[in-house]
Amino acid sequence: MMRYVAPLALLGILSAEPARAAEIPTFVKEHAAYPELRPQLQKAGWVPADIRTREDDACPDSDARCVAYPEARGCSGTGLGFCRLEWTHPDGTKLVIITAGEDKGGPHVFRFETLGQDAMPVSPEAQTEQMHTYLE
């Protein structure tokens, strides 16, 4: 009887659904004002990236956006003023938000995406290319 227990237990493990990445909250939308979105993300359990993990010179202290949003991984100083901001869900899913502009109400969401636990972040060069393609 013992020899049947292990195969049945293994069958249960194999049939279990894989863990799913956290879904993007419904309030995260293009054109949403980032200053209003930020506390909602925190309330939903998302954690802003730590300023200590920011690459040197990626977001200078002289840039008010970098000071106001420690989760900023980098901000452009020209054009539409894009910023890349990163959040992490407790399950390890990363939420990347690209903001643009400094209109009334602060920067607004330009685009967003989630990256799984093992996903590689998009390089700054690839992001710039994607933004140029979007604007064309």
Side-chain angles (χ1 to χ4, degrees):
M1 184 164 174
M2 279 300 274
R3 60 185 166 160
Y4 296 109
V5 174
L8 291 176
L10 182 59
L11 180 61
I13 292 170
L14 293 176
S15 66
E17 286 189 36
R20 295 181 187 193
E23 292 186 16
I24 298 173
T26 56
F27 55 81
V28 177
K29 299 177 181 179
E30 289 182 6
H31 309 293
Y34 187 74
E36 294 174 14
L37 185 72
R38 195 171 187 272
Q40 291 178 306
L41 284 167
Q42 290 173 315
K43 191 174 182 178
W46 291 85
V47 179
D50 191 314
I51 193 167
R52 294 172 293 184
T53 62
R54 187 185 291 164
E55 291 183 29
D56 293 340
D57 301 325
C59 208
D61 291 338
S62 59
D63 189 323
R65 298 166 297 176
C66 298
V67 174
Y69 309 117
E71 63 274 18
R73 301 294 92 188
C75 294
S76 66
T78 60
L80 295 176
F82 292 110
C83 282
R84 176 187 171 108
L85 304 115
E86 295 182 1
W87 293 77
T88 304
H89 191 269
D91 74 359
T93 302
K94 186 179 284 186
L95 173 61
V96 177
I97 298 174
I98 306 297
T99 61
E102 276 293 318
D103 300 336
K104 186 178 179 183
H108 288 75
V109 175
F110 177 74
R111 84 169 219 195
F112 52 90
E113 66 182 334
T114 56
L115 303 174
Q117 298 168 348
D118 299 325
M120 294 296 293
V122 178
S123 72
E125 295 80 17
Q127 289 176 37
T128 301
E129 184 178 320
Q130 290 171 357
M131 287 178 203
H132 287 293
T133 301
Y134 181 82
L135 294 172
E136 291 176 351

